[in-house]
Amino acid sequence: MISRIIEQSSVAQIQAHIDENERFVIVSHVGPDGDAIGSALAMRHFLKTLNKQPVVVVPNAYPSFLKWMPAADEILVYENNKELADKQLAKADVIFIMDLNERRRMNILANAVVDDAPAPKIMIDHHPQPDTFAKIIVSHPEIASTGELVFRLLWQMGKLSDINIACAECIYTGMMTDTGGFSYNSNSADIYHIVSMLISIGIDKDDIYRKVYNNYSENRIRLTGYATYRKMKLYPEYHTALIWLTRRELEQFNYVSGDAEGLVNLPMSIEGVIFSVFMREESDKIRLSFRSQGSFPCNQYAQKVFRGGGHLNASGGESYSGIKKTILKFENSLPKYAELLKQSI
Ligand code: 5GP
Ligand code: MN
């Protein structure tokens, strides 16, 4: 038996919003990952089994290794389908906001959702310090994935029997990807009770693993090799590693969205490395990813140094000052964190 962590009053309010309405738009964050797509599609499948009309909208493209997910082909990518998505948002009765805590994580979709769409918003998320624009906020930073929160919500609603295989697969994908295949943030016994229930529903967890992690393009593997061989710098005195890739390098490997996902995790398997940083040059900015092991708070680091945020062991941020200056800023910041990094090892 798992514990009931979502306030029952929120569960009842969400239940009432579902019962009393027909049209639902489900949105998630820019650069959608397995948990963003997984939790949004899980909600979509659940609503569909209740004969509701759900539509998933994300700001930009999701990686190709998520294309197998049931109903992924129906997702509206705002960048390519703004008109249709705006129409859906305008006539929505309720908008679910999945796996994101701040309006800016919706990027080009933020105004249309927060300012223009009149529907009440329900946020289901696990990032700390949620914005307050949603009418109902289910925020649990202690939970490893939004996929898990979707399961908990449906379970607390007494709707276990309405979770079909498609919904269960999407929940599992969120849970698996946000814990690196259950290798971090995954010490809670409840996670495995939930996995056990999802297997009973009929998911093939080994098959999901293969579809997500053994489904990369040749370019992606070669880019990974190049990045670790040529572009990884270690800072042993700070237990830190950096990988950075410029736009030119990405183009050489025919980079498509998602190809660099997970690169930031690789240096963590080097003995002694507890803080890993990845920088990817985009047309107008540098995207940064941070990962840590143990108690080093890479969300605080992201917030203080690069105006970002996220979780204790996984966070992100942005920089607008070019790759060289960004690397310099990062290197100059390390001495300030030397003590904290040492304590965390
Ligand atoms: P990733 O490195 O995979 O892009 O992001 C890691 C984690 O940090 C994710 O959970 C993501 O939601 C969060 N994150 C990434 N960038 C930002 C950011 O700029 N602000 C905040 N608040 N969280 C972020
Ligand atoms: Mn997540």
Side-chain angles (χ1 to χ4, degrees), residues 33 105 126-128 141 144 177-180 184-185 264-265 268 274-276 287-303 308-317:
D33 56 11
R105 296 280 296 145
H126 67 139
H127 298 93
T177 53
D178 259 21
T179 56
Y184 49 82
N185 266 344
V264 64
N265 295 312
M268 298 283 248
I274 59 156
F275 183 37
S276 173
R287 244 333 277 172
L288 296 113
S289 283
F290 307 101
R291 297 292 184 273
S292 68
Q293 300 188 67
S295 60
F296 184 72
C298 66
N299 51 357
Q300 274 179 40
Y301 177 88
Q303 200 177 11
H311 312 280
L312 181 78
N313 295 130
S315 65

Side-chain angles (χ1 to χ4, degrees), residues 61-325:
Y62 54 86
S64 61
F65 58 83
L66 299 175
K67 288 215 166 103
W68 64 271
M69 293 183 73
D73 53 343
E74 291 172 24
I75 293 175
L76 290 181
V77 176
Y78 198 69
E79 227 172 47
N80 313 330
N81 236 324
K82 182 173 177 318
E83 228 167 275
L84 186 55
D86 278 339
K87 261 190 212 150
Q88 296 288 351
L89 282 163
K91 64 177 188 188
D93 299 320
V94 176
I95 298 175
F96 278 99
I97 313 270
M98 310 300 291
D99 198 39
L100 69 97
N101 58 339
E102 293 174 329
R103 63 175 287 159
R104 71 189 180 93
R105 296 280 296 145
M106 282 179 275
N107 203 275
I108 53 169
L109 187 52
N111 287 349
V113 170
V114 182
D115 305 326
D116 301 343
K121 282 99 201 168
I122 301 175
M123 179 187 280
I124 301 175
D125 181 45
H126 67 139
H127 298 93
Q129 297 165 331
D131 280 353
T132 53
F133 63 81
K135 182 179 174 193
I136 305 169
I137 299 175
V138 174
S139 169
H140 286 274
E142 80 282 14
I143 295 298
S145 64
T146 305
E148 179 180 340
L149 279 175
V150 173
F151 181 89
R152 288 174 175 280
L153 176 68
L154 306 188
W155 180 77
Q156 284 189 230
M157 279 179 182
K159 298 285 189 187
L160 189 59
S161 58
D162 286 311
I163 301 181
N164 60 18
I165 293 186
C167 180
E169 286 176 339
C170 295
I171 289 172
Y172 184 79
T173 303
M175 294 177 70
M176 180 186 79
T177 53
D178 259 21
T179 56
F182 304 100
S183 66
Y184 49 82
N185 266 344
S186 53
N187 277 326
S188 120
D190 275 8
I191 287 179
Y192 304 95
H193 283 292
I194 294 172
V195 170
S196 150
M197 286 189 263
L198 296 174
I199 292 172
S200 300
I201 289 169
I203 67 159
D204 181 339
K205 68 177 262 308
D206 299 346
D207 187 48
I208 294 175
Y209 184 95
R210 275 194 296 274
K211 283 173 177 157
V212 172
Y213 293 120
N214 297 351
N215 197 11
Y216 297 156
S217 65
E218 179 184 340
N219 276 323
R220 178 180 170 144
I221 294 298
R222 293 200 187 278
L223 177 68
T224 304
Y226 172 76
T228 50
Y229 184 46
R230 298 250 179 196
K231 302 301 298 289
M232 182 173 71
K233 188 166 172 185
L234 296 178
Y235 305 85
E237 67 275 39
Y238 301 116
H239 310 286
T240 293
L242 166 70
I243 292 177
W244 76 102
L245 291 170
T246 63
R247 281 180 75 197
R248 239 192 62 200
E249 290 166 327
L250 293 166
E251 277 161 19
Q252 276 170 11
F253 289 89
N254 296 320
Y255 173 84
V256 292
S257 167
D259 274 358
E261 214 183 274
L263 256 185
V264 64
N265 295 312
L266 297 181
M268 298 283 248
S269 52
I270 300 170
E271 189 185 10
V273 172
I274 59 156
F275 183 37
S276 173
V277 180
F278 173 61
M279 299 180 187
R280 178 168 56 82
E281 189 181 36
E282 294 183 351
S283 56
D284 57 337
K285 60 175 180 287
I286 314 288
R287 244 333 277 172
L288 296 113
S289 283
F290 307 101
R291 297 292 184 273
S292 68
Q293 300 188 67
S295 60
F296 184 72
C298 66
N299 51 357
Q300 274 179 40
Y301 177 88
Q303 200 177 11
K304 290 233 168 73
V305 186
F306 289 104
R307 279 183 289 149
H311 312 280
L312 181 78
N313 295 130
S315 65
E318 286 168 4
S319 162
Y320 291 83
S321 45
I323 194 83
K324 278 195 181 136
K325 281 192 179 159

